[in-house]
Amino acid sequence: MQSITPTGVEVFFDADDIIVSKTDLKGRITYANKVFVDICGYTEAELIGQPHSIIRHPDMPRCVFKLLWDTLAQGREIFAYVKNMTKRGDHYWVFAHVTPSYDPDQRVIGYHSNRRVPERRIIAALEPLYASVRAEEDRHRNGKDAVAAGTAMLTDFISAKNVTYDQLVFAL
């Protein structure tokens, strides 16, 4: 996968649109709706089979994705604000709702994500927090240490608010 340089240009999708994708258990894209394809700039063929991280923006704290995967591994849904990156390096913000997908025997077979346009005031509140957490992660050369430090910082922030992560997301 080639490295893409962020442009600093934000792109938007319509407030009535929903970005939808599905992945397998390893996070490889198995379905992408037209809104997803249109906003990210990849073709459907370029997306299918790729890790969902193909759209990960380098500004995003890695610990947010650890929280996401840990929550899904427990069979629970998660809501999160995420900054994604297009094929050209532009970015777009989403309010993501990710859920496990089950087979008829109630075994997790993948994940389903719906993303909506977030409120601008929430993004304005989150950007400094995400930047601080990412800066803390960047202070560590070892990836595991970086995620652990970011997780500790995010957890401390949430604990100081006397809420859970889910409560924080909906209180913003």
Side-chain angles (χ1 to χ4, degrees):
M1 198 176 335
Q2 80 179 46
S3 178
I4 298 171
T5 303
T7 63
V9 174
E10 185 169 7
V11 294
F12 302 89
F13 59 104
D14 192 281
D16 292 333
D17 285 339
I18 300 173
I19 296 172
V20 179
S21 60
K22 295 179 183 181
T23 69
D24 64 16
L25 293 171
K26 299 219 183 261
R28 291 180 298 246
I29 299 168
T30 59
Y31 171 79
N33 76 341
K34 182 176 180 342
V35 179
F36 184 24
V37 169
D38 290 347
I39 189 76
C40 77
Y42 290 96
T43 66
E44 182 179 16
E46 289 173 313
L47 290 170
I48 302 301
Q50 292 299 314
H52 211 283
S53 61
I54 191 172
I55 60 165
R56 183 178 295 176
H57 195 286
D59 287 353
M60 277 300 297
R62 290 175 279 189
C63 67
V64 171
F65 296 107
K66 180 182 183 334
L67 174 65
L68 182 142
W69 283 108
D70 288 351
T71 302
L72 292 172
Q74 296 169 9
R76 295 180 16 234
E77 68 184 349
I78 187 167
F79 292 85
Y81 292 93
V82 179
K83 183 178 186 179
N84 290 322
M85 189 162 63
T86 70
K87 183 178 179 179
R88 292 183 355 164
D90 300 339
H91 67 273
Y92 59 100
W93 282 94
V94 298
F95 181 52
H97 177 216
V98 187
T99 62
S101 298
Y102 297 92
D103 70 8
D105 295 322
Q106 293 305 301
R107 290 183 300 241
V108 176
I109 57 170
Y111 305 100
H112 181 116
S113 178
N114 291 333
R115 276 113 47 218
R116 297 183 179 276
V117 173
E119 294 181 39
R120 296 310 303 175
R121 66 173 182 76
I122 294 172
I123 300 311
L126 272 181
E127 279 185 306
L129 171 62
Y130 279 6
S132 294
V133 172
R134 184 60 202 220
E136 178 60 27
E137 289 178 345
D138 288 346
R139 289 186 44 242
H140 302 271
R141 294 178 61 141
N142 176 287
K144 286 185 181 181
D145 292 344
V147 172
T151 299
M153 186 176 192
L154 184 60
T155 300
D156 289 348
F157 177 84
I158 293 166
S159 295
K161 300 281 186 196
N162 236 3
V163 296
T164 66
Y165 176 79
D166 291 337
Q167 289 169 329
L168 174 71
V169 166
F170 287 106
L172 292 171

